[in-house]
Amino acid sequence: MALAGLLCGAVMGVRALFEPQRCLTQILSAILCVTLAWTPFGVSWADAIQAAGRDGQQLGQQVLGGFAFPVDTGTGSLTLNPGTAQESAISIGTLFPDTNSASTTTSDFANLYGNNPGTLAAGLDAQTALNGETSFTGEAYRTLIDNAHQSHPDLQADQIWQNGDQVFADFTPWAQSFSDCTTTTTQTDTLQSVRVPDYQLCLRQPTVPQSCTATHQVNVQPLIRFVSGDGGFSSCGPGCMDLYVGRVGDDYWESDCGLFTWQVKYEVLHPEAITSATLEYVKYDDHTRVYYDNQLIYTGSSGWFGDCELYTSWNEYPNTNVLYAFNSSGIKVFKEETRVSGRGEGYSRIRLRYDLSKLITQDAWSWSGPNCQNLANAITDGICQTGSQLNCTNDPANASSCYVDPTSQVMVCGSDLAQAPVANSTGIRNTCMNIQAAGNCDLNQYGQCWTDSAGTHCLEPPANGIPNKSCTSLETQGCSFIKGQCTSVLASGTCWDSVDTYDCGQTVGIPAIQSNTQQQCAGPIRCMGEDCISVNRTQSQDFSKAVALLNSAQQMAMDLHCDYANADLQQKDPTTCQVFQGKPASCKMVGGALSLVDCCETPSGAMGLGRYIDLLIATSQMDSAVMTMDSTSAIRGAWETMRTPFTLAGDAWNSFQADFASTVNDLVGTDMLSTSDIASQGLLDSLKGELMKSVAEWIGKTFGEAAGNALFSAGGQAAFDAAGNLTPAAQSGGVQLGGGAAVAGQLLSTLMTAYTVVMIIIMIIQIVYSCEEPEYELAAKKQLKVCTDLGTYCESKVAGVCWVRKESYCCYNSPLARILNEQIKPQLGMDFGTPESPTCTGIKVADLDRVDWTQVNLDEWLAILAQTGHLPSAANAASMLNLDQLTGTGSRLNPQKYGATSSGRQDTLTRTQGRMTDLDVPTVKRQSELEGWGMGPQ
């Protein structure tokens, strides 16, 4: 401020220089003075607020980050500040002194559940006891009561109270500081791609031809090649070869101390295969010497010099290592010299050991067709008809399962060759060069019959020889393979029967709107609220995620099941309550790929998921409206008796009408306080009739007279004419489920049952007659995406091959219930059991607080809502989310939509304004204050 004053003085001092523009100069000087004087203060004020906000925020985060919840030790004490330097223990009895009281038990309170008179009586008894008993709780109670009975000073004349009244009486001066602040909200469209699966099953079986030939191609490279001279080679067993220097024989020379010489040349072709080479045997009469490459390698024991005639024929085994002569390829020259007097002979033998695997360049079996191996395996597994055979037509091996290869002169044994493509039990050896297979192996099991609740059925070939659905057809449609489950594996290891799962679903874009709100203040207050600091919000700004969580809460309230603690008194045990309980279901697949009776198939063209989701949402909306009524309302009481519509038995609509009584204010949507019983019942009749009529008209138009009359009747007569149109009686008097010749009966007591039965009638037209009613019901539920697949098991086999397979499911009352079970159960250590023994329990209410909801992925539910047109997007948000559409004339609760005579449903804003038109808020507020100060003794 001092600096501003000095600057102002300086400016005013030079005004004489601007005397011609004196007026303008004075104005500019004044503005400059004010600006310099106040701007630093304004800046420092706002910055101080920001700094204080940041400091407070940082402190709060530190406190929150260091906080540790107390831990119950299980021994009657709590550990405070666990894991910190301030850790301490405190007795639970110290915090709650009467916790160990023997006068009150848990069962005492449990027995009061749903018993209003008993609860009031128990409260009065507790008050009486607390007024006189000696306990900490009694002392605390009496302290509160005594304080309430003490006199209270009248603070209306207090200066602080009066100042507050003055501020509220005239807020204009304060509002001026904030008048230039504006709030701007920007919305950004986002899109997330999520897969909505549509799982389809197919049976995969191998193709089995009737005749095939297997050829064994073996190529063995020669180890040694004879080049020239006197010698030769022969096999001496597996991995063994003998090379000779000279001619094998006895006394083939005759001389008087003559010198005879043998020389032989061998070419080593594969030295890498030779593991040892030994001059193993020498025979001579009378003296001999053996050379390799003109180098002496052995002299006979008789020596070389001396008398020629020794009258002896020598057989010697020198076992001299000559591997060095064979460790490289090329020509190898061996020579033997023999001195003979009289008659005599002379030759030697070199024994080679080799690794046959380095000589075999080809060892492969090949079948004459792509599926011939299946034929061989089917024959050995015993699933072919009598007379099927596997024979070896060419086996060169001896009894020891060895043979000498005619080209290489190498001995080959069965242990050196690849396994024959047949089981050992066939007796066909690896040395076989040709196998003939012939047999009739029918995996379709034509003629097999079974009996179930739908009658007796037998497997027959398809009319055109082509199955309606195959795994190949699903692949052609672009479906993605998910898993395969084999039900039949025999000795050959071949999977003769596999139930494969494909995903034929769609990728759906989930629209979302991200909102961002900012405040901008051009006035003296430079920032307001969260603009002064950055706030990390815990709530999600994602509208779509909020929708999914809200749906979870709504359906949780409508899908609750509790066991009775006392069935006679209709008292339920709260400890048994479960949400999203399911039921086990299964379907069968009978026969082979061509003869398949597939009761697990989900046909197309049923009423579809979209309408069912629409009905779920409509029911949730009605539930919310009724449950906001006063607890004494007869309407609310009637609704509560059937608030779990998916498990109610009997004719729900009839009991619904019979129990309805007086008020339907929020349901009808007027600002009147009550309506008559007749109006209430008329509204429900209208709702019921229009829903029933809409479904009936669709059935008739889509599937004609027969299907329509199978479900609906009109006054005990047919509801549809030959053209599939509603009869005059149905048009004027309405239709009903069942009755007359209709087969539906009075089983349609729930939404799921109603939709299921309608879809069953449709599917009977499409699925083979061989399926049972529960399987039609399962097919309908699968199309509504409410079932979790547990896998396949084999129920019956013929010749070791499965021919009746069962696919097991857990089915729930909505897609969201199924998704939540799949997401939550792994967190709680729960599973769905096995295909043979499913466990389709729900989630206990007591376990819900253990769920980490941040790990629950509801993207599939959002995708279903988007796919069925129930999730707002940027394009339709204005039309779907406006107040009149949600709560007024566009609401499903508007009676005019169902033909009721009404002035129309007002939106919530209009209703609220109407109820508050004559309400003097300041007067009521002041009256409440006076009543508050007047409480208690003066």
Side-chain angles (χ1 to χ4, degrees), residues 28-91:
L28 292 175
S29 298
I31 293 175
L32 180 60
C33 290
V34 173
T35 303
L36 290 173
W38 287 101
T39 298
F41 174 70
V43 172
S44 63
W45 182 22
D47 289 345
I49 293 176
Q50 291 176 329
R54 285 193 295 268
D55 290 344
Q57 189 179 39
Q58 183 177 5
L59 176 61
Q61 291 174 345
Q62 290 175 352
V63 172
L64 182 62
F67 176 75
F69 281 96
V71 176
D72 185 358
T73 63
T75 59
S77 65
L78 292 176
T79 300
L80 306 180
N81 302 310
T84 67
Q86 294 77 33
E87 180 176 320
S88 60
I90 185 171
S91 171

Side-chain angles (χ1 to χ4, degrees), residues 154-409:
D154 186 358
L155 297 179
Q156 295 181 68
D158 186 89
Q159 186 64 37
I160 297 179
W161 189 273
Q162 292 178 352
N163 290 340
D165 286 343
Q166 292 175 6
V167 170
F168 283 110
D170 185 11
F171 200 74
T172 303
W174 301 93
Q176 290 176 350
S177 299
F178 301 91
S179 59
D180 292 330
C181 293
T182 59
T183 301
T184 304
T185 300
T186 58
Q187 295 181 338
T188 305
D189 296 338
T190 62
L191 195 67
Q192 177 187 358
S193 296
V194 175
R195 183 75 175 177
V196 178
D198 179 16
Y199 296 120
Q200 299 288 332
L201 303 180
C202 63
L203 178 65
R204 189 184 298 275
Q205 289 182 323
T207 301
V208 182
Q210 293 188 347
S211 63
C212 288
T213 300
T215 303
H216 194 185
Q217 295 176 324
V218 179
N219 186 12
V220 182
Q221 293 292 314
L223 180 67
I224 295 290
R225 183 176 72 87
F226 176 79
V227 179
S228 63
D230 298 301
F233 61 87
S234 63
S235 173
C236 53
C240 179
M241 179 172 286
D242 286 338
L243 277 63
Y244 291 90
V245 181
R247 191 175 72 191
V248 177
D250 186 38
D251 290 340
Y252 44 71
W253 286 320
E254 184 176 358
S255 175
D256 186 8
C257 201
L259 179 63
F260 297 92
T261 301
W262 296 120
Q263 180 173 295
V264 63
K265 294 181 180 180
Y266 293 102
E267 181 181 7
V268 177
L269 301 176
H270 290 281
E272 73 281 0
I274 299 174
T275 59
S276 69
T278 305
L279 180 61
E280 186 249 354
Y281 176 71
V282 179
K283 180 177 176 60
Y284 61 93
D285 181 4
D286 290 287
H287 306 272
T288 192
R289 290 190 297 192
V290 181
Y291 297 83
Y292 164 67
D293 199 17
N294 291 322
Q295 298 294 321
L296 180 65
I297 60 175
Y298 181 73
T299 300
S301 60
S302 62
W304 183 253
F305 301 102
D307 294 339
C308 285
E309 180 60 65
L310 298 179
Y311 303 104
T312 302
S313 180
W314 306 87
N315 292 279
E316 296 179 349
Y317 298 89
N319 290 322
T320 301
N321 183 13
V322 293
L323 181 60
Y324 60 87
F326 296 91
N327 59 10
S328 63
S329 60
I331 304 298
K332 312 296 180 180
V333 180
F334 290 89
K335 182 175 69 172
E336 183 173 354
E337 296 178 336
T338 305
R339 292 174 59 201
V340 178
S341 180
R343 300 182 67 88
E345 70 284 335
Y347 62 92
S348 57
R349 183 172 69 218
I350 300 173
R351 177 153 291 179
L352 303 181
R353 298 287 181 180
Y354 57 89
D355 183 354
L356 180 60
S357 65
K358 296 182 179 180
L359 299 178
I360 298 177
T361 58
Q362 185 179 16
D363 179 17
W365 289 91
S366 61
W367 285 100
S368 57
N371 298 305
C372 289
Q373 184 65 60
N374 296 334
L375 173 60
N377 292 343
I379 294 174
T380 56
D381 281 344
I383 62 176
C384 299
Q385 295 181 5
T386 304
S388 302
Q389 293 182 347
L390 280 172
N391 298 313
C392 177
T393 59
N394 179 17
D395 189 347
N398 56 24
S400 300
S401 192
C402 296
Y403 70 95
V404 176
D405 181 72
T407 302
S408 63
Q409 293 299 305

Side-chain angles (χ1 to χ4, degrees), residues 450-460 588 590 595-599 764 767-773 775-776:
W450 76 98
T451 300
D452 55 27
S453 61
T456 300
H457 324 278
C458 298
L459 295 177
E460 299 176 356
K588 63 178 175 289
V590 186
S595 61
L596 184 65
V597 173
D598 186 1
C599 295
I764 289 176
I767 306 180
V768 293
Y769 69 94
S770 307
C771 302
E772 300 175 85
E773 183 177 347
E775 291 169 326
Y776 294 122

